[in-house]
Amino acid sequence: MATERFEICVADEVLADLKYRLDHIRWPNLFEDNGWEQGTDFTYLHSLLAYWRDHFDWRAQEAKLNRFAHYRSNIDGIDIHFIHERGKGPNPLPLLLTHGWPDSFVRYSKIIPMLTDPASYGGNAEDSFDVIVPSLPGFGFSGYPEHGDINNAHISAMWAKLMTEELGYTTFAAAGGDIGSGVTRYLAASRPGLLAGIHLTDIGIIRSLLAPGNQADLTAEERQYQQTAQSWLAREGAYISIQSTKPRTLAYGLSDSPAGLAGWILEKFHDWSDCKGDLSQSFTEDELLTNIMIYWVTNTIGSAAQIYHENASSLPPLGRIEVPTGLALFPGDILLPPKEWAMRNLNITRWTEMPHGGHFTAMEAPGPLAGDIRAFFRPLR
């Protein structure tokens, strides 16, 4: 299909079904309330789900999201949802922003206006961007291939078609975190001529375990970084093991239970953010629930998890990237790589250590992130 306007409009029946399920949650028997040590805290989840049931207003959040210009376009047989907001400066640079898991396109809702209209946020109009935020295949309002065989490399090729064939850009900028970091790096590796530069907030967990060249050439700091990554995976990587091997088994429960879905997603927002153990320090209840709702109303938690399986089984190797790269590291994120390691793999031209924020960068610290993106791309325009 040709690119067409799209409006988020969830059926009343979907919301009525959700209310019924929230009214009839079957809670597990737990030995004791031990906080977040063994997973999502019962007390917190119980409170948030009560708010979800009694006070959360999806229609209000839906209206806020619909203030953006949404579109859908068919690329390689898959309907892709994306936001396309035009910049308000004299010569906007097109910027492709790719989200990750377990967030969604709403990850970037706070920084879109900061990038399209920097003058309204204390910046310079000459730093404006046309901002394009697609939903990954299998996430949110995007479709998914029937056989589920799509990985970061495939998505990067789809994004190139979206930007050039559908939207008509000849060159553009790209940025992302989590899965979005991987897709952006594959885009830079396979189609460097299309890109003015790339901006990342991480360089990937699995990538962190791969020795860049001869192990003997690594510095002590780099070897320690690899050991830290291994320890993190052993302690916190169960979700990767499940989603990369048995995503379907997981999908049955999470697609059927809003409590299960919320518990699975909230644990990551708690552990990966810079909230210091208190989610309210980084996110409002409405922000957390709006993101969870994107998965619930589209029934995409299963297809979203599937990408871990495809990346684990069919992702091609990724060499050094020569496209100019900006890396902004947030102190509350999962793994913070040493500069030497990052420079072995990427053409780092801007390295920024942020004062606060975690893995969900654009939600937690939108102002500093938008400022760093503007500063990085300024000499590349």
Side-chain angles (χ1 to χ4, degrees):
M1 68 179 181
T3 298
E4 60 184 24
R5 284 298 298 261
F6 174 80
E7 183 177 58
I8 301 172
C9 185
V10 175
D12 290 337
E13 292 80 4
V14 173
L15 301 182
D17 174 74
L18 172 61
K19 184 179 186 308
Y20 176 85
R21 292 168 189 262
L22 290 172
D23 282 337
H24 296 83
I25 294 171
R26 185 187 186 194
W27 293 100
N29 291 320
L30 300 173
F31 293 109
E32 60 180 330
D33 188 355
N34 56 3
W36 294 84
E37 181 182 349
Q38 296 179 26
T40 300
D41 175 57
F42 173 82
T43 301
Y44 179 83
L45 183 61
H46 194 276
S47 174
L48 185 69
L49 266 63
Y51 177 83
W52 193 1
R53 181 191 64 221
D54 299 330
H55 302 290
F56 178 73
D57 185 349
W58 166 251
R59 293 302 184 198
Q61 300 304 316
E62 188 179 68
K64 287 175 61 176
L65 294 175
N66 278 327
R67 293 173 187 170
F68 296 116
H70 295 260
Y71 298 86
R72 289 186 78 175
S73 184
N74 190 277
I75 302 173
D76 294 343
I78 303 172
D79 290 342
I80 296 298
H81 157 259
F82 61 96
I83 291 171
H84 188 193
E85 285 289 320
R86 300 284 185 173
K88 296 184 178 180
N91 189 26
L93 176 66
L95 174 63
L96 174 70
L97 297 175
T98 307
H99 67 83
W101 183 94
D103 54 86
S104 60
F105 73 91
V106 300
R107 174 189 183 113
Y108 294 114
S109 58
K110 292 180 181 178
I111 69 166
I112 291 174
M114 298 178 181
L115 296 172
T116 57
D117 187 16
S120 294
Y121 294 86
N124 192 322
E126 294 182 355
D127 289 331
S128 70
F129 297 87
D130 285 351
V131 177
I132 299 90
V133 185
S135 292
L136 290 164
F139 286 69
F141 300 100
S142 283
Y144 199 64
E146 182 178 349
H147 300 291
D149 51 348
I150 190 166
N151 58 35
N152 286 356
H154 296 139
I155 297 170
S156 72
M158 296 175 68
W159 280 190
K161 291 181 180 179
L162 170 65
M163 296 297 288
T164 59
E165 298 177 14
E166 299 297 324
L167 300 181
Y169 295 115
T170 55
T171 59
F172 55 94
D178 195 82
I179 294 172
S181 169
V183 170
T184 301
R185 284 180 282 126
Y186 271 96
L187 182 59
S190 62
R191 293 163 178 82
L194 292 178
L195 294 167
I198 62 173
H199 187 278
L200 309 173
T201 54
D202 60 70
I203 49 181
I205 299 170
I206 302 302
R207 179 72 170 168
S208 303
L209 302 176
L210 304 177
N214 191 330
Q215 188 76 17
D217 295 335
L218 300 182
T219 66
E221 189 177 9
E222 288 175 309
R223 286 193 290 271
Q224 179 59 51
Y225 173 59
Q226 288 188 315
Q227 294 175 12
T228 300
Q230 290 280 14
S231 298
W232 186 90
L233 273 178
R235 186 179 67 255
E236 301 288 346
Y239 78 100
I240 296 177
S241 298
I242 295 173
Q243 295 187 170
S244 62
T245 58
K246 307 295 182 183
R248 183 169 299 181
T249 302
L250 178 71
Y252 296 130
L254 301 190
S255 294
D256 190 58
S257 168
L261 177 66
W264 189 251
I265 290 176
L266 287 169
E267 179 201 314
K268 306 312 175 193
F269 274 80
H270 174 270
D271 292 354
W272 299 353
S273 69
D274 197 22
C275 71
K276 308 294 191 298
D278 179 3
L279 273 166
S280 67
Q281 297 301 307
S282 294
F283 315 99
T284 67
E285 292 173 316
D286 283 351
E287 287 172 345
L288 293 170
L289 289 171
T290 297
N291 182 68
I292 292 169
M293 283 288 285
I294 297 299
Y295 286 91
W296 181 263
V297 300
T298 59
N299 194 19
T300 51
I301 190 62
S303 54
Q306 186 74 24
I307 195 172
Y308 281 79
H309 180 274
E310 304 310 320
N311 281 339
S313 61
S314 62
L315 197 60
L318 184 64
R320 176 177 166 80
I321 292 169
E322 298 299 339
V323 172
T325 303
L327 186 59
L329 299 177
F330 291 76
D333 206 347
I334 297 170
L335 291 169
L336 303 180
K339 193 170 185 178
E340 299 90 343
W341 194 96
M343 294 183 71
R344 288 175 185 266
N345 292 272
L346 299 157
N347 178 19
I348 302 290
T349 60
R350 181 180 175 87
W351 175 278
T352 310
E353 297 182 10
M354 294 293 192
H356 63 90
H359 190 67
F360 305 99
T361 51
M363 297 178 72
E364 296 180 70
L369 177 60
D372 198 69
I373 290 174
R374 294 196 297 258
F376 168 68
F377 285 109
R378 189 171 298 134
L380 300 175
R381 290 174 176 265

